[in-house]
Amino acid sequence: MKRRELMAWLCVTACGLPTAARAGDAPALMLANVYRPGVPLVEYWLSEKYDGLRGFWDGQRLITRGGEVIVAPAWFTEGWPAEPMDGELWMGRGLFEETLSAVRRQTPREDAWLRIRFMVFDLPAHPGPFIERIQAYQGLVRKIDRAWVRAVPQERVVSHAELMVRLDRMVKDGGEGLMLHRGDSLYRTVRSDDLLKVKTHEDAEARVLAHLPGQGRHAARMGALLVQTPQGVRFRLGTGFTDAQREQPPAVGQWVTYRFRGVNPSGVPRFASFMRLRPDAPPPPLAGQAFTQSAK
């Protein structure tokens, strides 16, 4: 390990710096595991995995998965019910960055929000199984009667081969992937097989601990991020960045999404590659570790 990288690692471990400012309490949401062959598909409902930002309507306000209040125009949520709704703020396939830019603004831009839809896919407070919640959220969306509030369609699929055909078609059409939701499952605020994501690659989230300097053509700018997963695994994330992202890398303390191909015996992701910022990720504690400033 090079001297600068070693110094960054030591600082992360030893420096008693304060943690980044946290958002409010993160909402308790249903979280997904990754699909694997052998799952009894006849028990599940299938929908598109929308490439947007998770939005939770608590009956009064929209908040992110991490607990940050989303400043939407007043007209966007006017007439929404007191019943909580789980959904995705989405502009369309391939437009994650535009959606992120619009949603993060403290002063909402009307022209941007006119392009955003709230894709409702569940009702967290409903006591029934998902098969009943499908009808309930579809009925609630009809009652809201706003063009930008949409009920996520649900379909059935009976075999792995059919699922893979659907996935291939979705990706070719610019979609991110698919979701599977067990029909008899209650809304449980844990990560479980009741909800599964189906994608062409694995992805996960990690928090930025430090900026590691680049070499060669990346000299004088970020060469890699030192990141840590919620499970405490640290590793270098050095590929997948544009030149502009290396000039202005994700800030220390921010969460990023990366793609990978399995993990090695020590738990480090193989062939990890940066995908994007993930500001709506939940802020779990990282085994008591503090953050460091960028390594110079």
Side-chain angles (χ1 to χ4, degrees), residues 45-92:
W45 288 83
L46 177 72
S47 64
E48 179 172 350
K49 186 181 189 302
Y50 295 95
D51 189 19
L53 274 79
R54 186 89 172 257
F56 175 69
W57 172 253
D58 66 0
Q60 296 182 320
R61 57 184 183 166
L62 267 173
I63 52 181
T64 70
R65 205 176 101 188
E68 299 174 350
V69 176
I70 297 170
V71 185
W75 57 262
F76 192 83
T77 58
E78 184 180 4
W80 286 19
E83 182 170 2
M85 296 184 289
D86 197 355
E88 195 88 356
L89 291 162
W90 186 67
M91 277 188 178

Side-chain angles (χ1 to χ4, degrees), residues 45-48 93 154-173 177-178 198:
W45 288 83
L46 177 72
S47 64
E48 179 172 350
R93 294 173 181 171
Q154 300 287 341
E155 304 177 74
R156 302 304 292 267
V157 63
V158 297
S159 70
H160 174 75
E162 182 184 355
L163 180 64
M164 292 299 100
V165 169
R166 297 278 193 96
L167 177 62
D168 183 63
R169 185 187 308 148
M170 176 64 68
V171 172
K172 286 181 178 178
D173 288 343
L178 301 167
V198 189

Side-chain angles (χ1 to χ4, degrees), residues 32-241:
N33 278 335
V34 177
Y35 167 78
R36 60 201 177 278
V39 169
L41 292 172
V42 293
E43 299 177 4
Y44 285 82
W45 288 83
L46 177 72
S47 64
E48 179 172 350
K49 186 181 189 302
Y50 295 95
D51 189 19
L53 274 79
R54 186 89 172 257
F56 175 69
W57 172 253
D58 66 0
Q60 296 182 320
R61 57 184 183 166
L62 267 173
I63 52 181
T64 70
R65 205 176 101 188
E68 299 174 350
V69 176
I70 297 170
V71 185
W75 57 262
F76 192 83
T77 58
E78 184 180 4
W80 286 19
E83 182 170 2
M85 296 184 289
D86 197 355
E88 195 88 356
L89 291 162
W90 186 67
M91 277 188 178
R93 294 173 181 171
L95 297 176
F96 173 82
E97 295 297 336
E98 289 89 333
T99 307
L100 171 62
S101 176
V103 172
R104 293 187 68 189
R105 292 179 64 91
Q106 292 302 302
T107 302
R109 287 181 50 183
E110 296 285 328
D111 59 335
W113 278 91
L114 286 169
R115 300 169 56 203
I116 294 176
R117 284 161 276 176
F118 185 52
M119 308 298 295
V120 180
F121 52 70
D122 215 335
L123 299 178
H126 191 287
F130 185 62
I131 183 64
E132 294 179 7
R133 300 201 304 274
I134 295 173
Q135 297 179 6
Y137 78 66
Q138 290 176 343
L140 186 61
V141 168
R142 286 194 297 269
K143 186 177 179 181
I144 293 171
D145 194 24
R146 299 290 190 274
W148 51 90
V149 182
R150 306 282 182 86
V152 171
Q154 300 287 341
E155 304 177 74
R156 302 304 292 267
V157 63
V158 297
S159 70
H160 174 75
E162 182 184 355
L163 180 64
M164 292 299 100
V165 169
R166 297 278 193 96
L167 177 62
D168 183 63
R169 185 187 308 148
M170 176 64 68
V171 172
K172 286 181 178 178
D173 288 343
E176 184 183 23
L178 301 167
M179 297 298 298
L180 290 167
H181 202 139
R182 191 191 299 270
D184 63 359
S185 65
L186 302 178
Y187 193 100
R188 298 190 299 138
T189 57
V190 296
R191 189 179 298 279
S192 75
D193 283 357
D194 290 346
L195 189 64
L196 298 169
K197 54 185 175 182
V198 189
K199 303 179 72 172
T200 56
H201 60 270
E202 294 182 81
D203 61 52
E205 294 158 348
R207 184 174 275 176
V208 178
L209 298 180
H211 301 152
L212 304 179
Q215 298 180 352
R217 79 180 192 90
H218 297 314
R221 60 183 177 180
M222 186 271 291
L225 298 177
L226 177 63
V227 299
Q228 183 168 307
T229 70
Q231 294 75 35
V233 176
R234 295 179 187 168
F235 62 96
R236 286 169 48 104
L237 189 59
T239 62
F241 301 98

